[in-house]
Amino acid sequence: MAEAQNIPVGSTTAGSIAVAAESTVATRMSAPPSFEVADFPVPHGREEEWRFTPLERLRGLHDGTATADGGVKAEVSAPEGVTVETVGRDDARLGRAGRPVDRVAAQAYSAFEKATVVTVPRDTVLTEPVRVGVQGQGGVSFGHTVFELKPFAEAVVVIDHTGDGVRAANVEYVLGDGAKLTVVSVQDWDDTAVHCSQHNALVGRDATFRSVVVTFGGDLVRLHPRVNYAGPGGEAELYGLYFTDNGQHQEHRLFVDHETPNCRSNVVYKGALQGEDAHAVWIGDVLIRASATGTDTYELNRNLVLTDGARVDSVPNLEIETGEIVGAGHASATGRFEDEQLFYLMARGIPEQEARRLVVRGFFAELVQQIGLPDLQERLLARIDEELEESVA
């Protein structure tokens, strides 16, 4: 029913399957989800959800010492018919997709002053993407954004993070029945930036949610995508691509909560690491509750270690409370660059440096193709080539 493949190369990898287990929400978090910061203890690094995170590099986001003394330059470009609003904290549309699950997310929810709500009307099919640019201007900032698709609407959203600063934010995706949303979130921060964000998706009946998370920059990036289903027939596809460089800490913690019957989820995250003290963390939690009969789910994490000194922690977890499912499984693998692939290309006259680029591009190609926007795909492939300059030169 499920598989877990572990190939530790400068890494630690673990997986678990539990049948008729207690809820992941209760067993893996130090406190229940809440909008209140006081409901979460200050983490000390021994907690399950914090044990891989270097707390000292969070710049005070975790213990309340970080105060909003900076900002971001945010721009939203939306096609005709899309509504973009700046709203106050009391707007009823905020918080519907899910509550914060750790102290940083609760701090972000409690500290933002204005939120952005982007709404795609019912039955509207956008032919151009909604583009959101978030450029850090230094200092500490908090934010909240809601993307809502009314029933049977279809849209692509691109969120581009650049610049410098310490940023904590919550992002909500609310999909009405039959809606289709593709979100591409790019983290291309400066090398000194810190970014923590919880992504909550609420997928309506027969709706389709596709998330593509791309992480390159930042000193520390910690993202927490979460999916819940509001009705049967919902589908969620979560893709991720990360390239962890010398000294960087990039952490992606996913949770898919199957509580509704006849829903589907598919998770594929791939990462490449190079350089001393490069550290990538991937946690994939999938919970199939007793009520979620007919569930079909799978999650996969693969990591490619390009140089010595890099470390990967990859932990897929699957909890099943009902046997009446279509399928469920997970896999995790971490390994070095395969010399056989390199030899095959070089034997056909391709220089070694170009051969290495081709292998890494091929490793990521499956995920880049999921974006569906040629200009962005080319930009990301070029960015991968830039990252490779240090390891293949």
Side-chain angles (χ1 to χ4, degrees):
M1 181 174 57
E3 69 173 297
Q5 181 183 6
N6 307 309
I7 308 175
V9 178
S11 66
T12 61
T13 307
S16 65
I17 300 174
V19 179
E22 293 182 358
S23 168
T24 299
V25 176
T27 59
R28 294 210 178 93
M29 308 303 291
S30 60
S34 173
F35 292 112
E36 302 297 329
V37 178
D39 291 340
F40 296 94
V42 175
H44 298 286
R46 295 182 296 274
E47 302 84 356
E48 175 62 30
E49 69 267 37
W50 293 106
R51 65 189 180 100
F52 295 118
T53 309
L55 298 179
E56 69 280 0
R57 293 168 63 177
L58 287 173
R59 314 273 187 88
L61 289 177
H62 66 298
D63 60 11
T65 60
T67 57
D69 58 2
V72 298
K73 180 181 179 182
E75 297 181 350
V76 181
S77 174
E80 185 177 354
V82 176
T83 302
V84 180
E85 304 171 78
T86 300
V87 302
R89 299 183 51 83
D90 58 348
D91 193 285
R93 292 169 293 182
L94 307 184
R96 288 178 299 159
R99 292 173 292 173
V101 296
D102 63 33
R103 187 179 175 92
V104 174
Q107 181 66 53
Y109 190 87
S110 300
F112 77 87
E113 296 181 356
K114 298 290 183 180
T116 301
V117 178
V118 180
T119 307
V120 182
R122 182 187 180 101
D123 296 318
T124 300
V125 178
L126 300 183
T127 58
E128 295 292 331
V130 177
R131 297 184 183 269
V132 181
V134 179
Q135 185 180 49
Q137 304 294 298
V140 177
S141 64
F142 302 97
H144 195 99
T145 308
V146 178
F147 298 92
E148 181 174 7
L149 269 66
K150 297 297 186 180
F152 307 105
E154 298 183 19
V156 175
V157 173
V158 178
I159 309 174
D160 213 345
H161 299 91
T162 59
D164 193 17
V166 177
R167 177 74 169 173
N170 290 283
V171 184
E172 298 185 64
Y173 308 109
V174 181
L175 282 68
D177 294 347
K180 295 181 179 180
L181 173 62
T182 295
V183 177
V184 184
S185 178
V186 181
Q187 286 64 237
D188 200 7
W189 298 97
D190 293 349
D191 290 340
T192 53
V194 174
H195 180 203
C196 296
S197 185
Q198 182 173 320
H199 303 171
N200 293 320
L202 183 61
V203 182
R205 183 187 186 98
D206 297 324
T208 301
F209 174 68
R210 173 183 290 182
S211 166
V212 184
V213 171
V214 181
T215 303
F216 289 119
D219 175 63
L220 182 148
V221 174
R222 189 178 193 266
L223 304 182
H224 202 321
R226 298 173 64 86
V227 175
N228 290 86
Y229 298 88
E235 295 190 7
E237 296 180 329
L238 305 180
Y239 300 103
L241 181 162
Y242 49 93
F243 203 119
T244 313
D245 246 333
N246 183 46
Q248 286 185 310
H249 178 93
Q250 297 176 347
E251 185 168 343
H252 301 86
R253 310 181 68 94
L254 292 80
F255 178 54
V256 181
D257 189 350
H258 281 280
E259 188 177 12
T260 306
N262 303 317
C263 291
R264 175 183 171 273
S265 66
N266 183 52
V267 177
V268 181
Y269 268 61
K270 291 185 178 183
L273 297 91
Q274 65 180 8
E276 192 71 25
D277 296 325
H279 187 198
V281 178
W282 181 86
I283 310 294
D285 284 336
V286 176
L287 171 62
I288 304 175
R289 300 180 187 265
S291 56
T293 57
T295 293
D296 187 7
T297 180
Y298 194 82
E299 58 175 347
L300 168 68
N301 178 228
R302 292 184 61 196
N303 296 282
L304 184 61
V305 178
L306 301 177
T307 65
D308 292 332
R311 174 186 172 187
V312 180
D313 291 293
S314 178
V315 186
N317 297 296
L318 174 61
E319 297 195 11
I320 306 172
E321 297 179 350
T322 176
E324 299 179 18
I325 60 175
V326 175
H330 63 195
S332 172
T334 298
R336 290 189 182 277
F337 201 98
E338 294 188 10
D339 292 335
E340 291 83 359
Q341 293 177 320
L342 186 63
F343 176 79
Y344 177 87
L345 295 172
M346 292 179 63
R348 281 150 181 80
I350 300 176
E352 180 179 356
Q353 182 171 327
E354 181 62 21
R356 288 181 178 272
R357 285 198 177 94
L358 289 174
V359 171
V360 176
R361 271 179 165 244
F363 178 72
F364 285 129
E366 172 194 6
L367 301 182
V368 174
Q369 291 170 358
Q370 298 296 330
I371 295 173
L373 298 173
D375 61 329
L376 184 55
Q377 291 178 185
E378 286 302 316
R379 172 193 156 192
L380 295 180
L381 288 174
R383 188 70 171 83
I384 291 171
D385 286 343
E386 290 177 14
E387 294 283 355
L388 285 169
E389 286 296 329
E390 294 183 13
S391 63
V392 302

